[in-house]
Amino acid sequence: MVGPANSGRTRQAFSVVNGGQENGGPPSSAGSECGSIEFTKEDVEALLNEKMKGKNKFNLKEKCDQMMDYIRKLRLCIKWFQELEGSYLLEQEKLRNMLDCAERKCNEMEVLMKNKEEELNSIIMELRKNCASLHEKLTKEESDKLAAMDSLAREKEARLAAERLQTSLTDELGKAQREHSSASQKITSLNDMYKRLQEYNTSLQQYNSKLQTELATVNEALKRVEKEKAAVVENLSTLRGHYNALQDQLTLTRASQDEAMKQREALVNDVVCLRGELQQARDDRDRHLSQLEVLTTEAVKYKECTGKSFAELENLSLKSNELEARCLSQSDQIKALQDKLGAAEKKLQVSDLSAMETRTEYEEQKKLIHDLQNRLADAEIKIIEGEKLRKKLHNTILELKGNIRVFCRVRPLLADDAAAEAKVISYPTSTEFLGRSIDLMQSGQKHSFTFDKVFMPDASQQEVFVEISQLVQSALDGYKVCIFAYGQTGSGKTHTMMGRPGNPEQKGLIPRSLEQIFETRQSLKSQGWKYEMQVSMLEIYNETIRDLLSTNRSCSDVSRTENGVAGKQYAIKHDANGHTHVSDLTVVDVRSTREVSFLLDQAAQSRSVGKTQMNEQSSRSHFVFTLRISGVNESTEQQVQGVLNLIDLAGSERLSKSGSTGDRLKETQAINKSLSSLSDVIFALAKKEDHVPFRNSKLTYLLQPCLGGDSKTLMFVNISPDPSSLGESLCSLRFAARVNACEIGIPRRQTNMRPSDSRLSYG
């Protein structure tokens, strides 16, 4: 989609992207001039490879201004690509209209050819003998097709070279991000300036919220572009079908033209034969006339000289009469042959005119189809290039948003809740905080929190999924992605992740993510991608790992484990590449959404749940769903490996409110201990401590690559609007604010070969 441009337009695009300082106008005016901007491939690469420059590394304001300017440039570039995509759609519509016109002409030609076929029906059997010539033409077309395949192979080689160039650019971008990370670590030495920078930091947060809103709008626009791209792909397939129909009709036209040529040759041969017969008849007539003259002369001579008998004379007269009658009949036959010859010549002239018209129309249709094929190939190449650039821009935007993102979701009021929601929870309506902030009132004091997104109680499951759909897409692009739900018991975590069984409108994030992944996998087949997927599901119950997909798992096994008898042990191991493996864990290859839904139902039946005073169906364990994706592109030989972790954490609760005793008491203590370990890990990451206590619980040790590695991580904090749960909700929001402030490693795309060990990794 990045095409060449002249030098004058290139200088104008750079001046506008860099703030428009050459024209003397303010930087903010660049957005209004986006309609006259054109980008080249070099402009986009320069924009993606742009590094942060600054004389003072500790000048936060300068760095923030540079980051704001860089985001504005990205926005201009994305808007330009959207307009370019619209122009391609208009061009596609023009091509479709041209193809419809060509189809109508072919239909008219078909009607004409049917009329000609009725006229020439008498000689069809003779023309079937010319099938050998048609086979020769078919062989020639096959050779042309092979030549086209060779040219396609050369185009694939050029595309592979472009992929290599893109990989090198990605490495340079990663280097720039690492330099940015090292510069960020030095900011910790400025903690003594915290009080003086509070007011300035508040203004930065307000502006950041505005940027997040604009980036969400960009994400929605990118999704619309993907839908439009899918529509374009469907239109291209329709054009291919019309093109095949045109080829069949042109083949029939060519065959009919050949039949007309054969008929013309046959008519010419008939005319030659008729002319020969006419000449022979004339020669016979002349010969008979000469014989008649000789006989008449002889009769006169005999009558004068010899005086033969009258009988001989009568015989000669009879013979002469017979010859005259024969001569008259031959004259009539010659006249009929002349009439037939004239009709054949007229018919031959009409056939010549029809053949010339057919050949002219055939050449025009062939030229039009060749032009349409070239434009269709160009459109496909531009779509592929646009998809590559979209992925690159999408990943750049996600990295600018931060590695650990936090969404807050408030569940609706239930019949058992005590008071109205407005008395406890409110949502700011100002433009900069709309959809991102939440306020809690406790004892007359207001507590305000700001996150990447806040979902009010009336938000549907589809609206929630739209916000994370691009993050799920990153797993197919070869990234590690982790999404987990946190909150107290009864706050709606399981509803957010799993949804309500049997109700399509209430499906959770896990089923919707799988549907998107399998639909995208199907659409990427046209670009040469093939994916293999593996699923595993486990729960951490009382600091013990349970395999939810094990076929020989029974209640007796669970009871023996709970009673202290040693059962199957599942060990968590981390390798040097940052992957996490769980020994002896069941891993299932999946090929469709139906297979995964069956496994989810099986895992839901095996999961540990219990009844407490706070929740009738309380999850008593941490549920971890893992999908490993291995993809290979047969055209470019590129391989990617992505991991999608979707986690439903057990709910935190206070013993005084839950009323847990016996086994429920042990479960509550284990849950609170693991969540406390998770808090310790988050606090250590936020403070950038040298030692992070990942090993304090099975949960944090399992999620180590997601929390402290190179994964794209998102946390849903679920809270209840019930006034009696205000204390727990406040604790959850404070913890989520700490998580939102954490910085982890830069996400890396996994492009290495698929390991020989088929066990699924979590990191």
Side-chain angles (χ1 to χ4, degrees):
M1 295 176 66
V2 181
N6 56 49
S7 60
R9 298 301 294 272
T10 302
R11 289 195 295 272
Q12 178 188 5
F14 258 114
S15 64
V16 176
V17 169
N18 290 325
Q21 299 299 326
E22 295 180 2
N23 297 328
S28 60
S29 64
S32 63
E33 300 175 0
C34 184
S36 63
I37 298 176
E38 291 185 3
F39 288 85
T40 64
K41 185 174 182 180
E42 292 77 10
D43 295 341
V44 177
E45 291 177 353
L47 182 60
L48 293 177
N49 295 328
E50 183 176 349
K51 298 181 180 179
M52 299 302 167
K53 298 180 180 179
K55 298 180 180 179
N56 188 359
K57 296 182 179 179
F58 305 103
N59 192 340
L60 295 177
K61 182 176 181 181
E62 181 181 0
K63 290 185 178 180
C64 183
D65 292 339
Q66 290 180 359
M67 184 65 70
M68 289 161 52
D69 186 57
Y70 184 65
I71 292 175
R72 181 178 61 80
K73 295 174 185 177
L74 282 177
R75 191 182 300 113
L76 286 174
C77 184
I78 292 172
K79 186 174 181 181
W80 181 79
F81 275 111
Q82 290 175 347
E83 294 176 354
L84 192 61
E85 185 74 18
S87 65
Y88 288 148
L89 291 176
L90 292 176
E91 184 178 359
Q92 186 67 32
E93 185 67 25
K94 292 180 181 178
L95 291 176
R96 189 183 297 108
N97 294 334
M98 293 176 66
L99 189 60
D100 292 339
C101 181
E103 186 176 359
R104 287 194 298 270
K105 289 183 179 180
C106 288
N107 291 333
E108 294 175 358
M109 188 182 299
E110 185 178 358
V111 173
L112 181 62
M113 294 308 298
K114 285 183 179 179
N115 295 332
K116 294 179 181 179
E117 184 179 0
E118 292 177 358
E119 296 176 0
L120 302 176
N121 194 25
S122 60
I123 59 173
I124 290 178
M125 297 303 297
E126 296 179 1
L127 296 178
R128 289 180 180 175
K129 299 178 182 179
N130 300 323
C131 184
S133 62
L134 296 177
H135 282 295
E136 292 177 358
K137 293 182 178 180
L138 180 61
T139 304
K140 183 178 179 180
E141 291 179 356
E142 289 292 335
S143 63
D144 295 339
K145 183 178 179 181
L146 292 176
M149 292 297 292
D150 293 336
S151 64
L152 180 60
R154 290 191 295 270
E155 291 178 357
K156 287 182 178 179
E157 292 177 358
R159 185 166 56 187
L160 180 59
E163 284 289 335
R164 292 173 179 170
L165 179 60
Q166 182 184 7
T167 303
S168 63
L169 294 176
T170 304
D171 294 336
E172 293 178 1
L173 180 60
K175 183 178 179 182
Q177 291 292 337
R178 287 193 295 272
E179 292 177 357
H180 176 69
S181 177
S182 62
S184 299
Q185 291 176 358
K186 296 180 181 179
I187 298 177
T188 55
S189 62
L190 299 177
N191 287 331
D192 56 330
M193 299 175 63
Y194 175 76
K195 294 182 180 179
R196 287 180 293 172
L197 295 176
Q198 276 185 339
E199 183 178 356
Y200 181 70
N201 190 26
T202 302
S203 63
L204 288 181
Q205 288 181 352
Q206 293 174 355
Y207 189 78
N208 188 24
S209 64
K210 184 177 180 181
L211 289 180
Q212 292 292 342
T213 304
E214 294 176 352
L215 287 175
T217 305
V218 171
N219 282 335
E220 293 176 357
L222 286 175
K223 186 174 181 181
R224 288 195 299 271
V225 170
E226 288 181 353
K227 292 181 180 179
E228 292 174 357
K229 187 192 101 175
V232 169
V233 173
E234 293 179 0
N235 292 333
L236 290 178
S237 63
T238 305
L239 287 176
R240 289 194 183 98
H242 290 326
Y243 167 67
N244 293 332
L246 283 175
Q247 278 191 333
D248 295 338
Q249 293 176 359
L250 289 176
T251 303
L252 293 175
T253 304
R254 192 183 304 161
S256 300
Q257 181 183 359
D258 293 339
E259 291 176 0
M261 295 299 294
K262 298 296 183 181
Q263 181 187 5
R264 177 185 175 185
E265 293 177 359
L267 291 175
V268 170
N269 294 332
D270 292 341
V271 169
V272 173
C273 294
L274 290 175
R275 287 177 178 173
E277 292 178 358
L278 177 61
Q279 185 64 35
Q280 184 178 1
R282 287 175 178 174
D283 294 340
D284 292 341
R285 184 192 64 179
D286 294 339
R287 188 174 65 255
H288 290 311
L289 288 175
S290 63
Q291 290 178 0
L292 179 61
E293 291 177 356
V294 172
L295 290 175
T296 303
T297 304
E298 289 179 354
V300 173
K301 187 185 294 184
Y302 286 140
K303 193 179 285 185
E304 292 178 354
C305 298
T306 60
K308 289 185 177 181
S309 63
F310 183 73
E312 291 179 356
L313 183 59
E314 287 183 353
N315 291 332
L316 292 174
S317 299
L318 291 174
K319 191 173 182 180
S320 176
N321 292 332
E322 290 177 357
L323 291 173
E324 289 178 356
R326 185 176 180 184
C327 182
L328 290 174
S329 64
Q330 288 181 350
S331 298
D332 295 337
Q333 187 177 3
I334 289 170
K335 187 177 181 181
L337 290 174
Q338 287 177 344
D339 295 338
K340 188 175 180 181
L341 177 61
E345 288 178 349
K346 291 181 180 180
K347 196 172 184 180
L348 182 60
Q349 291 177 356
V350 174
S351 178
D352 290 340
L353 293 176
S354 177
M356 290 297 295
E357 292 177 357
T358 303
R359 182 179 296 277
T360 303
E361 292 181 359
Y362 169 72
E363 293 295 335
E364 292 177 355
Q365 293 294 331
K366 186 176 181 181
K367 183 178 180 180
L368 178 60
I369 290 174
H370 182 69
D371 187 25
L372 290 175
Q373 285 177 338
N374 293 335
R375 299 176 74 174
L376 183 63
D378 293 339
E380 289 179 348
I381 293 174
K382 291 177 180 178
I383 287 174
I384 293 174
E385 292 178 353
E387 178 66 16
K388 292 178 182 178
L389 189 58
R390 182 201 64 79
K391 289 182 178 180
K392 193 169 185 179
L393 292 174
H394 160 66
N395 290 319
T396 302
I397 291 173
L398 287 183
E399 291 171 5
L400 290 175
K401 286 183 177 179
N403 295 327
I404 297 185
R405 303 173 63 198
V406 176
F407 289 173
C408 176
R409 188 178 190 186
V410 183
R411 71 162 172 80
L413 279 169
L414 304 178
D416 298 335
D417 292 337
E421 174 190 359
K423 296 180 181 179
V424 178
I425 300 176
S426 61
Y427 309 95
T429 58
S430 60
T431 303
E432 53 188 349
F433 291 109
L434 183 63
R436 297 183 57 252
S437 296
I438 183 172
D439 296 336
L440 267 68
M441 293 296 297
Q442 184 184 38
S443 302
Q445 183 180 1
K446 184 172 72 172
H447 301 273
S448 299
F449 299 92
T450 302
F451 302 105
D452 295 288
K453 185 71 176 177
V454 174
F455 297 99
M456 291 186 286
D458 58 350
S460 64
Q461 297 281 64
Q462 176 62 23
E463 292 175 359
V464 176
F465 176 72
V466 167
E467 292 295 330
I468 70 161
S469 59
Q470 294 296 328
L471 195 61
V472 174
Q473 174 67 32
S474 296
L476 277 174
D477 295 340
Y479 289 89
K480 302 174 187 175
V481 178
C482 178
I483 303 174
F484 64 94
Y486 176 88
Q488 72 178 102
T489 297
S491 59
K493 300 183 301 300
T494 303
H495 177 74
T496 298
M497 300 303 292
M498 298 296 296
R500 185 176 302 170
N503 190 344
E505 296 295 330
Q506 296 295 327
K507 289 186 295 186
L509 299 185
I510 294 179
R512 292 177 187 270
S513 299
L514 295 173
E515 290 178 358
Q516 174 181 324
I517 286 176
F518 281 103
E519 289 176 0
T520 307
R521 181 186 72 168
Q522 188 68 23
S523 63
L524 290 177
K525 283 186 178 180
S526 60
Q527 300 181 15
W529 283 99
K530 288 186 177 180
Y531 289 94
E532 294 181 357
M533 302 185 184
Q534 295 177 315
V535 166
S536 73
M537 302 181 203
L538 61 86
E539 68 173 354
I540 301 177
Y541 176 78
N542 287 349
E543 286 300 305
T544 302
I545 295 178
R546 290 180 174 180
D547 186 359
L548 297 179
L549 298 182
S550 177
T551 56
N552 57 359
R553 184 174 183 266
S554 63
C555 295
S556 59
D557 297 334
V558 176
S559 61
R560 287 199 303 270
T561 304
E562 292 176 353
N563 294 331
V565 181
K568 181 180 287 188
Q569 299 295 323
Y570 298 96
I572 303 174
K573 299 179 181 179
H574 302 292
D575 59 17
N577 296 325
H579 297 289
T580 300
H581 303 275
V582 179
S583 61
D584 297 328
L585 188 66
T586 302
V587 178
V588 181
D589 294 325
V590 292
R591 299 176 181 83
S592 65
T593 309
R594 182 178 300 178
E595 294 180 6
V596 183
S597 299
F598 175 77
L599 296 177
L600 283 173
D601 294 339
Q602 177 183 344
Q605 295 175 1
S606 302
R607 190 177 178 188
S608 301
V609 296
K611 178 180 179 181
T612 68
Q613 294 181 4
M614 299 180 65
N615 192 357
E616 289 289 334
Q617 290 288 330
S618 177
S619 301
R620 313 307 295 167
S621 64
H622 307 300
F623 172 70
V624 181
F625 171 89
T626 302
L627 176 68
R628 181 176 181 179
I629 304 171
S630 298
V632 59
N633 193 314
E634 296 180 349
S635 302
T636 62
E637 298 182 357
Q638 183 182 9
Q639 295 183 350
V640 296
Q641 286 188 343
V643 179
L644 178 63
N645 291 318
L646 302 173
I647 303 167
D648 179 16
L649 298 178
S652 61
E653 58 187 31
R654 296 182 181 179
L655 294 176
S656 59
K657 295 187 62 177
S658 64
S660 301
T661 59
D663 291 340
R664 296 291 174 265
L665 176 60
K666 295 180 181 178
E667 293 169 355
T668 302
Q669 291 173 344
I671 292 170
N672 291 339
K673 180 181 178 182
S674 61
L675 294 178
S676 177
S677 299
L678 180 60
S679 300
D680 295 339
V681 168
I682 294 298
F683 293 161
L685 290 173
K687 295 179 181 179
K688 299 187 180 298
E689 295 181 355
D690 295 336
H691 173 68
V692 181
F694 288 111
R695 292 181 176 269
N696 285 0
S697 71
K698 292 287 182 64
L699 175 65
T700 55
Y701 192 49
L702 183 66
L703 299 182
Q704 180 176 351
C706 303
L707 299 176
D710 52 4
S711 174
K712 295 184 179 182
T713 305
L714 169 68
M715 184 184 84
F716 272 94
V717 55
N718 297 81
I719 62 174
S720 170
D722 188 1
S724 62
S725 302
L726 183 59
E728 289 290 335
S729 299
L730 190 58
C731 292
S732 298
L733 292 176
R734 286 172 176 169
F735 173 72
R738 291 286 188 95
V739 173
N740 203 15
C742 287
E743 296 180 3
I744 61 177
I746 299 174
R748 291 185 297 105
R749 193 180 185 189
Q750 303 294 320
T751 57
N752 55 323
M753 297 291 292
R754 182 175 180 178
S756 59
D757 185 7
S758 62
R759 299 207 174 276
L760 186 139
S761 63
Y762 289 80

